Coordinates of all heavy atoms in Angstrom, one line a residue:
F138 N 152.9 127.7 99.1 CA 154.1 128.1 98.3 C 155.3 127.6 99.1 O 155.5 128.0 100.2 CB 154.1 129.6 98.2 CG 155.4 130.1 97.5 CD1 155.5 130.2 96.2 CD2 156.4 130.5 98.3 CE1 156.7 130.6 95.6 CE2 157.6 130.9 97.7 CZ 157.7 131.0 96.4
F139 N 156.2 126.9 98.4 CA 157.4 126.4 99.0 C 158.6 126.9 98.2 O 158.8 126.5 97.1 CB 157.4 124.9 99.1 CG 158.7 124.4 99.7 CD1 159.0 124.6 101.0 CD2 159.6 123.6 98.9 CE1 160.2 124.1 101.6 CE2 160.7 123.1 99.5 CZ 161.1 123.4 100.8
P140 N 159.5 127.7 98.9 CA 160.7 128.1 98.2 C 161.8 127.1 98.4 O 162.4 126.9 99.5 CB 161.1 129.4 98.9 CG 160.5 129.3 100.3 CD 159.4 128.3 100.2
S141 N 162.2 126.3 97.4 CA 163.3 125.4 97.5 C 164.5 126.2 97.0 O 164.6 127.5 97.1 CB 163.1 124.2 96.6 OG 164.1 123.3 96.8
T142 N 165.6 125.6 96.5 CA 166.8 126.3 96.2 C 167.5 125.6 95.0 O 167.4 124.4 94.8 CB 167.8 126.2 97.4 OG1 169.1 126.7 97.0 CG2 168.0 124.8 97.9
T143 N 168.1 126.5 94.2 CA 168.9 125.9 93.1 C 170.1 125.1 93.6 O 170.8 124.4 92.8 CB 169.4 127.0 92.1 OG1 170.0 128.1 92.9 CG2 168.2 127.7 91.4
S144 N 170.4 125.2 94.9 CA 171.5 124.4 95.4 C 171.3 122.9 95.4 O 172.2 122.1 95.6 CB 171.8 124.8 96.9 OG 172.2 126.2 97.0
V145 N 170.1 122.5 95.1 CA 169.8 121.1 94.9 C 170.5 120.5 93.7 O 170.8 119.3 93.6 CB 168.3 120.8 94.8 CG1 167.5 121.2 96.1 CG2 167.7 121.4 93.6
Y146 N 170.9 121.4 92.8 CA 171.6 120.9 91.6 C 173.1 120.5 91.9 O 173.7 119.7 91.2 CB 171.6 121.9 90.5 CG 170.2 122.2 89.9 CD1 169.5 123.4 90.1 CD2 169.6 121.2 89.2 CE1 168.3 123.6 89.6 CE2 168.3 121.4 88.7 CZ 167.6 122.6 88.9 OH 166.4 122.8 88.4
G147 N 173.7 121.2 92.9 CA 175.1 120.9 93.1 C 176.0 121.4 91.9 O 175.5 122.1 91.1
S148 N 177.2 120.9 91.9 CA 178.1 121.2 90.8 C 177.7 120.5 89.5 O 177.5 119.3 89.5 CB 179.5 120.9 91.2 OG 180.4 121.3 90.2
Q149 N 177.5 121.2 88.4 CA 177.1 120.6 87.2 C 178.0 121.1 86.0 O 178.3 122.3 86.0 CB 175.6 121.0 86.9 CG 174.6 120.5 87.9 CD 174.3 119.0 87.8 OE1 174.6 118.4 86.8 NE2 173.6 118.5 88.9
A150 N 178.3 120.2 85.1 CA 179.1 120.6 84.0 C 178.3 121.4 82.9 O 178.9 122.2 82.2 CB 179.8 119.4 83.3
L151 N 177.1 121.0 82.8 CA 176.2 121.7 81.8 C 175.1 122.5 82.4 O 174.8 122.4 83.6 CB 175.6 120.6 80.9 CG 176.6 119.6 80.2 CD1 175.8 118.5 79.5 CD2 177.5 120.4 79.2
R152 N 174.5 123.4 81.6 CA 173.4 124.2 82.0 C 172.2 123.2 82.4 O 171.9 122.3 81.7 CB 173.0 125.1 80.9 CG 171.9 126.1 81.3 CD 171.7 127.1 80.2 NE 170.6 128.1 80.4 CZ 170.8 129.2 81.0 NH1 172.0 129.6 81.5 NH2 169.8 130.0 81.2
V153 N 171.6 123.5 83.5 CA 170.6 122.6 84.0 C 169.2 123.3 84.1 O 169.1 124.5 84.3 CB 171.0 122.0 85.4 CG1 172.1 121.0 85.3 CG2 171.3 123.1 86.4
D154 N 168.2 122.5 84.0 CA 166.8 123.0 84.2 C 166.1 122.0 85.1 O 166.7 121.1 85.7 CB 166.1 123.2 82.9 CG 165.9 121.9 82.1 OD1 166.0 120.8 82.6 OD2 165.5 122.0 80.9
E155 N 164.8 122.1 85.2 CA 164.0 121.3 86.2 C 163.9 119.9 85.8 O 163.5 119.0 86.7 CB 162.5 121.9 86.3 CG 162.4 123.3 86.8 CD 162.6 124.4 85.8 OE1 163.0 124.0 84.6 OE2 162.4 125.6 86.1
T156 N 164.3 119.5 84.6 CA 164.3 118.1 84.2 C 165.6 117.4 84.6 O 165.7 116.1 84.4 CB 164.1 118.0 82.7 OG1 165.3 118.6 82.0 CG2 162.9 118.7 82.2
C157 N 166.5 118.1 85.2 CA 167.8 117.4 85.6 C 167.5 116.3 86.6 O 166.9 116.4 87.6 CB 168.7 118.5 86.3 SG 170.3 117.8 86.9
A158 N 168.0 115.1 86.2 CA 167.8 113.9 87.0 C 168.8 113.6 88.0 O 168.6 113.0 89.0 CB 167.6 112.7 86.1
E159 N 170.0 114.1 87.8 CA 171.2 113.9 88.7 C 171.4 115.1 89.6 O 172.3 115.9 89.3 CB 172.4 113.6 87.9 CG 173.5 113.0 88.7 CD 174.8 112.6 87.9 OE1 174.7 112.7 86.6 OE2 175.8 112.2 88.5
L160 N 170.6 115.2 90.6 CA 170.7 116.3 91.6 C 171.8 115.9 92.6 O 172.0 114.8 93.0 CB 169.4 116.5 92.3 CG 168.2 116.9 91.3 CD1 166.9 117.0 92.1 CD2 168.5 118.2 90.6

Side-chain angles (χ1 to χ4, degrees):
F138 172 87
F139 178 66
S141 187
T142 173
T143 51
S144 293
V145 299
Y146 292 111
S148 185
Q149 301 282 346
L151 302 175
R152 187 174 176 86
V153 291
D154 63 15
E155 296 86 350
T156 64
C157 177
E159 192 176 354
L160 300 175

